Amino acid sequence: MATTQELVALANATAAEVAKFGPAVDALEAAVTAALAKIPTIPADAQADIDAAFAALQSTVTGAQAAIADAADGVDEAGLVVPPAA
């Protein structure tokens, strides 16, 4: 069984790793922007792929931020008992 100290350590380690997502996405975006600046034109299908990749990365960052907020809200959703609908 995990101790409270182990839980806090794991939560802190997780938060630290998730905090790296935003800067990583920014760095990737900057690298792609710099690379694209060297290309005269981007084919529409390639631009669609780039847009989809950025959307997926942004969704991951948003999900990670939501997970951190959920972990800090003080509510154990797994422990909530919802009565069946009448």
Side-chain angles (χ1 to χ4, degrees):
M1 180 182 303
T3 66
T4 56
Q5 292 84 11
E6 290 170 324
L7 178 59
V8 169
L10 180 59
N12 288 334
T14 301
E17 290 304 310
V18 170
K20 297 175 185 177
F21 287 177
V25 169
D26 290 342
L28 177 60
E29 183 178 25
V32 170
T33 299
L36 294 176
K38 297 177 183 178
I39 301 172
T41 60
I42 301 169
D45 59 336
Q47 184 61 57
D49 289 344
I50 291 166
D51 293 343
F54 277 118
L57 288 166
Q58 201 59 50
S59 177
T60 301
V61 169
T62 301
Q65 290 168 336
I68 291 171
D70 180 49
D73 71 1
V75 176
D76 178 9
E77 288 82 5
L80 296 178
V81 177
V82 178

